[in-house]
Coordinates of all heavy atoms in Angstrom, one line a residue:
M517 N 63.5 148.0 -14.6 CA 63.9 148.9 -15.7 C 65.3 148.5 -16.1 O 66.2 148.4 -15.3 CB 63.8 150.3 -15.2 CG 64.3 151.3 -16.3 SD 64.1 153.1 -15.8 CE 62.5 153.4 -16.4
E518 N 65.5 148.4 -17.4 CA 66.8 148.2 -18.0 C 67.6 149.5 -18.2 O 66.9 150.5 -18.4 CB 66.7 147.4 -19.3 CG 66.1 146.0 -19.1 CD 67.0 145.0 -18.5 OE1 68.2 145.1 -18.7 OE2 66.5 144.2 -17.7
I519 N 68.9 149.5 -18.3 CA 69.6 150.7 -18.5 C 69.3 151.3 -19.8 O 69.2 152.5 -20.0 CB 71.2 150.4 -18.4 CG1 71.9 151.8 -18.3 CG2 71.7 149.5 -19.5 CD1 71.8 152.6 -17.1
T520 N 69.0 150.5 -20.8 CA 68.6 151.0 -22.2 C 67.3 151.8 -22.1 O 67.2 152.9 -22.7 CB 68.5 149.9 -23.2 OG1 67.6 148.9 -22.7 CG2 69.9 149.3 -23.5
E521 N 66.4 151.3 -21.3 CA 65.1 152.1 -21.1 C 65.4 153.4 -20.4 O 64.8 154.4 -20.7 CB 64.1 151.2 -20.3 CG 63.7 150.0 -21.0 CD 62.9 149.1 -20.0 OE1 63.4 148.7 -19.0 OE2 61.7 148.8 -20.3
L522 N 66.2 153.3 -19.4 CA 66.6 154.5 -18.6 C 67.3 155.5 -19.5 O 67.0 156.7 -19.4 CB 67.4 154.2 -17.4 CG 67.8 155.3 -16.4 CD1 66.6 156.0 -15.9 CD2 68.6 154.8 -15.3
L523 N 68.2 155.1 -20.3 CA 68.9 156.0 -21.2 C 68.0 156.6 -22.2 O 68.0 157.8 -22.5 CB 70.0 155.2 -21.9 CG 71.2 154.8 -21.1 CD1 72.1 153.8 -21.8 CD2 72.0 156.0 -20.6
A524 N 67.1 155.9 -22.8 CA 66.1 156.4 -23.7 C 65.2 157.4 -23.0 O 64.9 158.5 -23.6 CB 65.3 155.3 -24.3
F525 N 64.7 157.1 -21.8 CA 63.9 158.0 -21.0 C 64.6 159.3 -20.8 O 64.1 160.4 -20.9 CB 63.4 157.3 -19.7 CG 62.5 158.2 -18.9 CD1 61.1 158.2 -19.2 CD2 62.9 158.9 -17.8 CE1 60.2 159.0 -18.5 CE2 62.0 159.7 -17.1 CZ 60.7 159.7 -17.4
A526 N 65.9 159.2 -20.4 CA 66.7 160.4 -20.1 C 66.8 161.2 -21.4 O 66.7 162.5 -21.3 CB 68.0 160.0 -19.6
Q527 N 67.1 160.6 -22.5 CA 67.3 161.3 -23.8 C 66.0 162.0 -24.1 O 66.0 163.2 -24.6 CB 67.7 160.3 -24.8 CG 68.0 161.0 -26.2 CD 68.4 160.0 -27.2 OE1 67.9 158.9 -27.2 NE2 69.3 160.4 -28.1
Q528 N 64.8 161.3 -24.0 CA 63.5 161.9 -24.4 C 63.2 163.1 -23.5 O 62.6 164.1 -23.9 CB 62.4 160.9 -24.2 CG 62.4 159.8 -25.2 CD 61.5 158.6 -24.8 OE1 60.9 158.6 -23.8 NE2 61.4 157.6 -25.7
N529 N 63.7 163.1 -22.3 CA 63.5 164.2 -21.3 C 64.6 165.2 -21.3 O 64.6 166.1 -20.4 CB 63.2 163.6 -19.9 CG 61.8 163.0 -19.8 OD1 60.9 163.7 -19.6 ND2 61.8 161.7 -20.0
K530 N 65.5 165.1 -22.2 CA 66.6 166.0 -22.4 C 67.5 166.2 -21.1 O 67.9 167.3 -20.8 CB 66.1 167.4 -22.9 CG 65.4 167.3 -24.2 CD 65.1 168.6 -24.8 CE 64.2 168.6 -26.1 NZ 64.4 167.6 -27.0
A531 N 67.7 165.1 -20.5 CA 68.5 165.0 -19.3 C 70.0 165.1 -19.6 O 70.4 164.5 -20.6 CB 68.2 163.8 -18.4
S532 N 70.7 165.8 -18.8 CA 72.2 165.9 -19.0 C 72.9 164.8 -18.2 O 74.0 164.5 -18.5 CB 72.7 167.3 -18.7 OG 72.5 167.6 -17.3
D533 N 72.2 164.4 -17.1 CA 72.8 163.4 -16.2 C 71.8 162.4 -15.7 O 70.6 162.8 -15.6 CB 73.4 164.1 -15.0 CG 74.5 165.1 -15.3 OD1 74.1 166.2 -15.7 OD2 75.7 164.8 -15.1
I534 N 72.3 161.2 -15.4 CA 71.5 160.2 -14.6 C 72.3 159.9 -13.4 O 73.4 159.6 -13.5 CB 71.3 159.0 -15.5 CG1 70.6 159.3 -16.8 CG2 70.5 157.9 -14.7 CD1 70.6 158.1 -17.7
H535 N 71.6 160.0 -12.3 CA 72.2 159.6 -11.0 C 71.6 158.3 -10.5 O 70.4 158.2 -10.3 CB 72.0 160.7 -9.9 CG 72.6 162.0 -10.3 ND1 73.8 162.4 -9.9 CD2 72.1 163.0 -11.1 CE1 74.0 163.6 -10.4 NE2 73.0 164.0 -11.2
L536 N 72.4 157.3 -10.3 CA 72.0 156.0 -9.8 C 72.6 155.8 -8.4 O 73.8 155.8 -8.3 CB 72.4 154.9 -10.7 CG 71.9 154.9 -12.1 CD1 72.4 153.7 -12.9 CD2 70.4 154.9 -12.1
T537 N 71.7 155.6 -7.4 CA 72.2 155.3 -6.1 C 71.3 154.2 -5.5 O 70.1 154.2 -5.6 CB 72.0 156.6 -5.2 OG1 72.6 157.7 -5.8 CG2 72.5 156.3 -3.8
S538 N 72.0 153.2 -5.0 CA 71.2 152.1 -4.4 C 70.2 152.5 -3.4 O 70.4 153.5 -2.7 CB 72.2 151.1 -3.7 OG 73.1 150.6 -4.6
D539 N 69.1 151.8 -3.4 CA 68.0 152.1 -2.5 C 67.3 153.4 -2.7 O 66.6 153.9 -1.8 CB 68.4 152.0 -1.0 CG 69.0 150.6 -0.7 OD1 68.4 149.6 -1.1 OD2 70.0 150.5 0.1
N540 N 67.4 154.0 -3.9 CA 66.8 155.2 -4.4 C 66.3 155.0 -5.8 O 66.9 154.2 -6.5 CB 67.7 156.4 -4.3 CG 68.0 156.8 -2.8 OD1 67.1 157.3 -2.2 ND2 69.2 156.5 -2.4
P541 N 65.3 155.7 -6.2 CA 64.9 155.7 -7.6 C 66.0 156.5 -8.4 O 66.7 157.3 -7.9 CB 63.6 156.4 -7.7 CG 63.5 157.2 -6.5 CD 64.4 156.6 -5.4
P542 N 66.1 156.2 -9.7 CA 67.0 157.0 -10.5 C 66.6 158.5 -10.5 O 65.5 158.8 -10.4 CB 66.9 156.4 -11.9 CG 66.3 155.0 -11.7 CD 65.5 155.1 -10.5
I543 N 67.6 159.3 -10.7 CA 67.4 160.8 -10.7 C 67.9 161.3 -12.0 O 69.0 161.0 -12.4 CB 68.1 161.4 -9.5 CG1 67.4 160.9 -8.2 CG2 68.0 163.0 -9.6 CD1 68.2 161.4 -6.9
L544 N 67.2 162.2 -12.6 CA 67.7 162.9 -13.8 C 68.0 164.4 -13.5 O 67.4 165.0 -12.6 CB 66.6 162.9 -14.9 CG 66.1 161.6 -15.4 CD1 65.0 161.8 -16.5 CD2 67.2 160.7 -15.9
R545 N 69.0 164.9 -14.2 CA 69.3 166.3 -14.1 C 68.8 166.9 -15.5 O 69.3 166.6 -16.5 CB 70.7 166.6 -13.9 CG 71.0 168.1 -13.8 CD 72.5 168.4 -13.7 NE 73.1 167.7 -12.6 CZ 73.2 168.2 -11.3 NH1 72.7 169.4 -11.0 NH2 73.8 167.5 -10.4
V546 N 67.8 167.8 -15.4 CA 67.2 168.4 -16.6 C 67.3 169.9 -16.4 O 66.7 170.4 -15.4 CB 65.7 167.9 -16.8 CG1 65.1 168.6 -18.1 CG2 65.7 166.4 -16.9
N547 N 68.0 170.6 -17.3 CA 68.1 172.0 -17.2 C 68.6 172.5 -15.8 O 68.2 173.4 -15.2 CB 66.8 172.8 -17.5 CG 66.4 172.5 -19.0 OD1 67.3 172.5 -19.9 ND2 65.2 172.4 -19.2
G548 N 69.5 171.7 -15.2 CA 70.1 172.0 -13.9 C 69.3 171.6 -12.7 O 69.7 171.7 -11.6
E549 N 68.1 171.1 -13.0 CA 67.2 170.7 -11.9 C 67.3 169.2 -11.7 O 67.3 168.4 -12.7 CB 65.7 171.1 -12.2 CG 65.5 172.6 -12.1 CD 64.0 172.9 -12.3 OE1 63.2 172.2 -11.8 OE2 63.8 173.9 -13.1
I550 N 67.3 168.7 -10.4 CA 67.2 167.3 -10.1 C 65.8 166.8 -10.1 O 65.0 167.4 -9.4 CB 67.9 167.1 -8.7 CG1 69.4 167.6 -8.8 CG2 67.8 165.7 -8.3 CD1 70.3 166.8 -9.7
K551 N 65.5 165.8 -10.8 CA 64.2 165.3 -10.9 C 64.2 163.7 -10.7 O 64.6 163.0 -11.6 CB 63.6 165.6 -12.3 CG 63.5 167.1 -12.5 CD 62.8 167.4 -13.8 CE 62.6 168.9 -13.9 NZ 61.7 169.3 -15.0
P552 N 63.7 163.3 -9.6 CA 63.6 161.8 -9.4 C 62.6 161.2 -10.3 O 61.5 161.8 -10.6 CB 63.1 161.7 -7.9 CG 63.3 163.0 -7.3 CD 63.3 164.0 -8.4
I553 N 62.9 160.0 -10.8 CA 61.9 159.3 -11.7 C 61.0 158.6 -10.7 O 61.4 158.0 -9.7 CB 62.7 158.3 -12.6 CG1 63.6 159.1 -13.5 CG2 61.7 157.4 -13.4 CD1 64.5 158.2 -14.4
K554 N 59.7 158.6 -11.1 CA 58.7 158.0 -10.2 C 58.6 156.5 -10.4 O 57.6 156.0 -11.1 CB 57.4 158.7 -10.4 CG 57.4 160.1 -10.0 CD 56.1 160.9 -10.2 CE 56.3 162.3 -9.7 NZ 55.3 163.2 -10.1
I555 N 59.6 155.8 -10.0 CA 59.6 154.3 -10.0 C 60.1 153.8 -8.6 O 60.6 154.6 -7.8 CB 60.4 153.7 -11.1 CG1 61.9 154.0 -10.9 CG2 59.9 154.1 -12.5 CD1 62.8 153.3 -11.9
A556 N 60.0 152.5 -8.4 CA 60.5 152.0 -7.1 C 62.0 152.2 -7.0 O 62.7 152.2 -8.0 CB 60.1 150.5 -7.0
P557 N 62.5 152.3 -5.8 CA 63.9 152.4 -5.6 C 64.7 151.2 -6.2 O 64.1 150.1 -6.2 CB 64.1 152.5 -4.1 CG 62.8 153.0 -3.6 CD 61.8 152.4 -4.5
L558 N 65.9 151.4 -6.6 CA 66.7 150.3 -7.2 C 67.4 149.6 -6.0 O 68.0 150.3 -5.2 CB 67.7 150.9 -8.2 CG 67.2 151.6 -9.4 CD1 68.4 152.2 -10.2 CD2 66.4 150.7 -10.3
S559 N 67.4 148.3 -6.1 CA 68.2 147.6 -5.1 C 69.7 147.7 -5.4 O 70.1 148.1 -6.5 CB 67.8 146.1 -5.1 OG 68.3 145.5 -6.3
P560 N 70.6 147.4 -4.4 CA 72.0 147.4 -4.7 C 72.4 146.5 -5.9 O 73.2 146.9 -6.8 CB 72.7 146.9 -3.4 CG 71.7 147.4 -2.4 CD 70.3 147.2 -3.0
D561 N 71.7 145.4 -6.0 CA 72.0 144.5 -7.2 C 71.6 145.1 -8.5 O 72.2 144.9 -9.5 CB 71.4 143.1 -6.9 CG 72.1 142.3 -5.9 OD1 73.3 142.6 -5.6 OD2 71.5 141.3 -5.3
E562 N 70.4 145.7 -8.5 CA 69.9 146.3 -9.7 C 70.8 147.5 -10.2 O 71.1 147.6 -11.3 CB 68.4 146.9 -9.5 CG 67.4 145.8 -9.4 CD 66.1 146.4 -9.0 OE1 66.0 147.2 -8.0 OE2 65.0 146.0 -9.6
T563 N 71.2 148.3 -9.2 CA 72.1 149.4 -9.5 C 73.4 148.9 -10.1 O 73.8 149.4 -11.1 CB 72.3 150.2 -8.2 OG1 71.1 150.6 -7.6 CG2 73.2 151.5 -8.5
K564 N 74.0 147.9 -9.5 CA 75.3 147.4 -9.9 C 75.1 146.8 -11.3 O 75.9 147.0 -12.2 CB 75.8 146.3 -9.0 CG 77.2 145.8 -9.3 CD 77.7 144.9 -8.2 CE 79.1 144.5 -8.4 NZ 79.6 143.7 -7.3
A565 N 74.0 146.1 -11.6 CA 73.8 145.4 -12.9 C 73.6 146.5 -14.0 O 74.1 146.3 -15.1 CB 72.5 144.6 -12.8
M566 N 72.9 147.6 -13.7 CA 72.8 148.7 -14.6 C 74.1 149.3 -15.0 O 74.5 149.5 -16.1 CB 71.9 149.8 -14.1 CG 70.4 149.5 -14.2 SD 69.5 151.0 -13.7 CE 67.9 150.6 -14.3
I567 N 74.9 149.6 -14.0 CA 76.2 150.2 -14.2 C 77.2 149.2 -14.9 O 77.8 149.6 -15.9 CB 76.8 150.7 -12.8 CG1 76.0 151.8 -12.3 CG2 78.3 151.1 -13.0 CD1 76.3 152.2 -10.9
Y568 N 77.2 148.0 -14.5 CA 78.1 147.0 -15.1 C 77.7 146.7 -16.6 O 78.6 146.4 -17.4 CB 78.1 145.7 -14.3 CG 79.1 145.7 -13.2 CD1 79.4 146.9 -12.4 CD2 79.8 144.6 -12.8 CE1 80.3 146.9 -11.4 CE2 80.7 144.6 -11.8 CZ 81.0 145.7 -11.1 OH 81.9 145.7 -10.1
S569 N 76.4 146.9 -16.9 CA 76.0 146.6 -18.3 C 76.6 147.6 -19.3 O 76.6 147.3 -20.5 CB 74.5 146.6 -18.3 OG 73.9 147.9 -18.3
I570 N 77.0 148.8 -18.9 CA 77.6 149.7 -19.8 C 79.1 149.7 -19.7 O 79.8 150.5 -20.4 CB 77.0 151.1 -19.6 CG1 77.4 151.7 -18.3 CG2 75.6 151.1 -19.9 CD1 77.1 153.2 -18.2
M571 N 79.7 148.9 -18.8 CA 81.2 148.9 -18.7 C 81.7 147.7 -19.5 O 81.1 146.7 -19.6 CB 81.5 148.7 -17.2 CG 81.1 149.9 -16.3 SD 81.4 149.5 -14.6 CE 83.2 149.7 -14.5
S572 N 82.9 147.9 -20.0 CA 83.6 146.8 -20.7 C 84.1 145.8 -19.6 O 84.2 146.1 -18.4 CB 84.8 147.3 -21.5 OG 85.8 147.8 -20.6
E573 N 84.4 144.6 -20.1 CA 85.0 143.6 -19.3 C 86.3 144.1 -18.6 O 86.5 143.8 -17.4 CB 85.3 142.3 -20.1 CG 85.6 141.1 -19.3 CD 84.5 140.6 -18.4 OE1 83.3 140.6 -18.8 OE2 84.8 140.2 -17.2
E574 N 87.1 144.8 -19.3 CA 88.3 145.3 -18.7 C 88.0 146.3 -17.6 O 88.7 146.3 -16.6 CB 89.2 146.0 -19.8 CG 89.7 145.1 -20.9 CD 88.7 144.7 -22.0 OE1 87.7 145.5 -22.1 OE2 88.9 143.7 -22.6
Q575 N 87.0 147.2 -17.8 CA 86.7 148.1 -16.8 C 86.1 147.4 -15.5 O 86.5 147.8 -14.4 CB 85.6 149.1 -17.3 CG 86.2 150.1 -18.3 CD 85.1 150.9 -19.0 OE1 84.0 150.4 -19.3 NE2 85.3 152.2 -19.2
R576 N 85.3 146.4 -15.7 CA 84.8 145.7 -14.6 C 85.9 144.9 -13.8 O 85.9 144.9 -12.6 CB 83.7 144.7 -15.0 CG 82.4 145.4 -15.4 CD 81.3 144.4 -15.6 NE 81.5 143.4 -16.7 CZ 81.1 143.6 -18.0 NH1 80.5 144.7 -18.3 NH2 81.4 142.7 -18.9
A577 N 86.8 144.3 -14.5 CA 87.9 143.5 -13.9 C 88.8 144.5 -13.1 O 89.4 144.1 -12.1 CB 88.6 142.8 -15.0
G578 N 89.0 145.7 -13.6 CA 89.9 146.6 -13.0 C 89.3 147.5 -12.0 O 89.9 148.5 -11.6
L579 N 88.1 147.3 -11.5 CA 87.4 148.2 -10.6 C 87.5 147.6 -9.2 O 86.7 146.8 -8.7 CB 85.9 148.3 -11.0 CG 85.1 149.3 -10.2 CD1 85.7 150.7 -10.3 CD2 83.7 149.3 -10.6
P580 N 88.5 148.0 -8.4 CA 88.6 147.6 -7.0 C 87.5 148.2 -6.2 O 87.0 149.3 -6.5 CB 90.0 148.0 -6.6 CG 90.4 149.1 -7.5 CD 89.6 148.9 -8.8
P581 N 87.1 147.6 -5.1 CA 86.1 148.2 -4.2 C 86.5 149.7 -3.8 O 87.6 149.9 -3.4 CB 86.1 147.3 -3.0 CG 86.6 146.0 -3.5 CD 87.6 146.4 -4.5
G582 N 85.5 150.5 -3.9 CA 85.7 151.9 -3.5 C 86.3 152.8 -4.5 O 86.5 154.0 -4.3
A583 N 86.6 152.2 -5.7 CA 87.3 153.0 -6.7 C 86.3 153.8 -7.6 O 85.2 153.4 -7.8 CB 88.2 152.1 -7.6
D584 N 86.8 154.8 -8.2 CA 86.1 155.6 -9.2 C 86.3 155.0 -10.6 O 87.4 154.5 -10.8 CB 86.5 157.1 -9.2 CG 86.1 157.8 -8.0 OD1 85.2 157.3 -7.2 OD2 86.6 158.9 -7.8
Q585 N 85.4 155.1 -11.5 CA 85.6 154.5 -12.8 C 84.7 155.3 -13.8 O 83.6 155.7 -13.5 CB 85.1 153.0 -12.8 CG 85.2 152.4 -14.2 CD 86.7 152.1 -14.6 OE1 87.4 151.6 -13.8 NE2 87.0 152.5 -15.8
G586 N 85.3 155.6 -15.0 CA 84.6 156.2 -16.0 C 84.1 155.2 -17.1 O 84.8 154.2 -17.3
A587 N 83.0 155.5 -17.7 CA 82.5 154.6 -18.8 C 81.6 155.5 -19.6 O 81.5 156.7 -19.4 CB 81.8 153.4 -18.2
G588 N 81.0 154.8 -20.5 CA 80.0 155.6 -21.4 C 79.0 154.6 -22.0 O 79.3 153.4 -22.1
A589 N 77.9 155.1 -22.4 CA 76.9 154.3 -23.1 C 76.5 155.0 -24.3 O 76.3 156.3 -24.3 CB 75.7 154.2 -22.1
V590 N 76.4 154.3 -25.4 CA 75.9 154.9 -26.6 C 74.4 154.7 -26.6 O 73.8 153.6 -26.6 CB 76.5 154.1 -27.9 CG1 75.9 154.7 -29.2 CG2 78.0 154.3 -27.8
V591 N 73.7 155.9 -26.7 CA 72.2 155.9 -26.7 C 71.7 155.5 -28.0 O 70.8 154.7 -28.2 CB 71.7 157.3 -26.2 CG1 70.2 157.3 -26.2 CG2 72.3 157.6 -24.8
D592 N 72.2 156.2 -29.0 CA 71.9 155.8 -30.4 C 73.1 156.1 -31.2 O 74.2 156.4 -30.7 CB 70.6 156.5 -30.9 CG 70.7 158.0 -30.9 OD1 71.9 158.6 -31.1 OD2 69.7 158.7 -30.8
Q593 N 73.0 156.1 -32.5 CA 74.3 156.3 -33.3 C 74.9 157.7 -33.2 O 76.0 157.9 -33.6 CB 74.0 155.9 -34.8 CG 73.0 156.9 -35.5 CD 72.8 156.5 -36.9 OE1 73.2 155.4 -37.4 NE2 72.1 157.3 -37.6
H594 N 74.1 158.6 -32.7 CA 74.6 160.0 -32.6 C 74.9 160.5 -31.2 O 75.7 161.4 -31.0 CB 73.6 161.0 -33.1 CG 73.2 160.7 -34.5 ND1 74.0 160.8 -35.6 CD2 72.0 160.2 -35.1 CE1 73.4 160.5 -36.7 NE2 72.2 160.0 -36.4
D595 N 74.4 159.8 -30.2 CA 74.5 160.3 -28.8 C 75.3 159.3 -27.9 O 75.0 158.1 -28.0 CB 73.2 160.5 -28.1 CG 72.4 161.7 -28.8 OD1 73.1 162.7 -29.2 OD2 71.2 161.6 -28.9
R596 N 76.2 159.8 -27.2 CA 77.0 159.0 -26.2 C 76.9 159.7 -24.9 O 77.1 160.9 -24.7 CB 78.4 158.9 -26.6 CG 79.2 158.0 -25.7 CD 80.7 157.8 -26.2 NE 81.4 156.9 -25.3 CZ 82.0 157.2 -24.2 NH1 81.9 158.4 -23.7 NH2 82.6 156.3 -23.5
L597 N 76.5 158.9 -23.9 CA 76.3 159.5 -22.5 C 77.5 159.1 -21.7 O 77.7 157.9 -21.4 CB 75.0 158.9 -21.9 CG 74.7 159.4 -20.5 CD1 74.4 160.9 -20.5 CD2 73.5 158.6 -19.9
P598 N 78.3 160.0 -21.2 CA 79.4 159.7 -20.3 C 78.9 159.3 -19.0 O 77.8 159.8 -18.6 CB 80.3 160.9 -20.3 CG 79.4 162.0 -20.7 CD 78.3 161.4 -21.5
A599 N 79.6 158.5 -18.3 CA 79.2 158.0 -17.0 C 80.4 158.0 -16.0 O 81.5 157.7 -16.4 CB 78.5 156.7 -17.0
A600 N 80.1 158.3 -14.8 CA 81.2 158.2 -13.7 C 80.5 157.4 -12.6 O 79.4 157.7 -12.2 CB 81.6 159.6 -13.3
M601 N 81.3 156.4 -12.2 CA 80.7 155.6 -11.1 C 81.7 155.5 -9.9 O 82.9 155.6 -10.1 CB 80.6 154.1 -11.6 CG 79.4 153.9 -12.5 SD 79.7 154.3 -14.2 CE 81.0 153.3 -14.8
E602 N 81.1 155.4 -8.8 CA 81.9 155.2 -7.5 C 81.2 154.2 -6.7 O 80.0 154.3 -6.4 CB 82.0 156.5 -6.8 CG 82.8 156.4 -5.5 CD 82.8 157.7 -4.7 OE1 82.5 158.8 -5.3 OE2 83.2 157.7 -3.5
E603 N 81.9 153.2 -6.3 CA 81.3 152.2 -5.4 C 81.6 152.6 -4.0 O 82.8 152.7 -3.6 CB 81.9 150.8 -5.7 CG 81.2 149.7 -5.0 CD 81.6 148.3 -5.4 OE1 82.4 148.2 -6.3 OE2 81.0 147.4 -4.9
Q604 N 80.6 152.7 -3.2 CA 80.8 153.2 -1.9 C 80.6 152.0 -0.9 O 79.6 151.3 -1.0 CB 79.8 154.3 -1.6 CG 80.0 154.9 -0.2 CD 79.0 156.1 -0.1 OE1 77.8 156.0 -0.3 NE2 79.6 157.2 0.4
R605 N 81.5 151.8 0.0 CA 81.4 150.8 1.0 C 81.2 151.4 2.4 O 81.9 152.4 2.7 CB 82.6 149.9 1.0 CG 83.0 149.3 -0.2 CD 82.3 148.0 -0.4 NE 82.7 147.5 -1.7 CZ 82.3 146.3 -2.1 NH1 81.7 145.5 -1.3 NH2 82.7 145.8 -3.3
L606 N 80.2 150.9 3.1 CA 80.0 151.5 4.5 C 80.6 150.5 5.5 O 80.6 149.4 5.4 CB 78.5 151.7 4.7 CG 77.9 152.7 3.8 CD1 76.4 152.8 4.1 CD2 78.5 154.1 3.9

């Protein structure tokens, strides 16, 4: 699944948030309820690729390991979805 597909799906389902966590399927927050999407879990590489695809080059270059970062994705000409990312190292 591409991030654009996920954003469109979230918009169609009136989700306020998308939660992406490696080794888990994406999760939507709809009317305050957490709803996992029924797809295969995302690998760490897939999760990172989705997140990096909505970040600018400057944001990606300035993201040290373990840092928080804000970004956003334009769903269509009227909607912009804010995003907050945190890279967790174990």
Side-chain angles (χ1 to χ4, degrees):
M517 175 176 272
E518 297 289 326
I519 191 72
T520 53
E521 295 170 303
L522 182 57
L523 291 168
F525 184 80
Q527 184 181 36
Q528 290 168 358
N529 286 276
K530 302 189 184 322
S532 62
D533 299 79
I534 301 171
H535 299 264
L536 299 177
T537 305
S538 297
D539 300 320
N540 289 288
I543 297 172
L544 301 181
R545 182 183 304 272
V546 179
N547 296 322
E549 292 184 39
I550 299 294
K551 298 184 176 194
I553 297 174
K554 295 178 180 168
I555 64 169
L558 300 173
S559 72
D561 288 340
E562 289 171 316
T563 305
K564 187 173 184 176
M566 279 188 168
I567 292 168
Y568 274 35
S569 73
I570 64 168
M571 295 174 73
S572 69
E573 190 64 40
E574 294 82 21
Q575 289 170 319
R576 288 190 296 268
L579 185 62
D584 293 342
Q585 179 71 49
V590 176
V591 179
D592 61 29
Q593 65 182 7
H594 304 290
D595 295 324
R596 182 178 184 277
L597 179 67
M601 285 81 64
E602 178 180 348
E603 186 170 5
Q604 187 175 48
R605 304 274 177 171
L606 298 177

